[in-house]
Structure formats: C-alpha cells, structure tokens
Amino acid sequence: AERLQAAGAGAEALREAERGALDAPLTWQHWDLAAELALAAGATSRALAHGRRALALAPDLPSLHRNLAIVHRATGNRLLAEYR
C-alpha cells in the first residue's frame, strides 16, 4: 500500500490497505495504515473510523492517539484533537 501511495496511486493504496485490514481485523497496524491513507486521500470519515478501530485494538500506544488527533484536527475538531 505504501509503495502504491508513493507511486501516486493513493485510491488504490487505500483500497489495498482496507482489504488488508479486513483480512486481518485484529491487527492494529493495518487499521492505522488505512487511516493514514484515508486521510491522505481526503476521506476523513473513513480515516476517523479506521483510526478508532486501530486505537480500540491497541489503546496503550501513544502513536495511535497522536494519529487520531491528527485526523480530528484535519476535520476541524480541535477539542477532540487536544484530548487524544
């Protein structure tokens, strides 16, 4: 997925990341990557959903809180971004 994004195929990279997340639904890394790619594609609703799923699977990882805060900030929700 990251290789596709680097090649300028963002939508295809997002689809691949989402397929990977659905194939391994209990792996936070797949959901986190899908959230990152969704945000890059401007799909903020999907980025929030994927980011929340990653965080639910690994709530003790500070990087997931930071990533979700970035998504909240991108949607204009500064309050939630501050409390992540």
Side-chain angles (χ1 to χ4, degrees):
E2 292 169 335
R3 195 172 14 122
L4 289 171
Q5 185 184 24
E12 187 178 344
L14 176 55
R15 280 192 300 277
E16 184 179 315
E18 288 175 331
R19 274 194 299 266
L22 291 172
D23 287 344
L26 297 179
T27 305
W28 66 265
Q29 293 94 335
H30 290 292
W31 292 108
D32 187 46
L33 177 60
E36 181 182 329
L37 294 171
L39 183 60
T44 54
S45 295
R46 286 162 71 181
L48 279 171
H50 298 332
R52 287 178 178 147
R53 181 70 179 263
L55 188 60
L57 293 169
D60 295 334
L61 289 178
S63 62
L64 297 181
H65 288 273
R66 184 196 68 235
N67 292 349
L68 197 53
I70 291 168
V71 176
H72 282 299
R73 208 168 286 114
T75 65
N77 195 335
R78 292 174 191 244
L79 183 63
L80 282 177
E82 292 300 318
Y83 286 100
R84 270 286 124 215

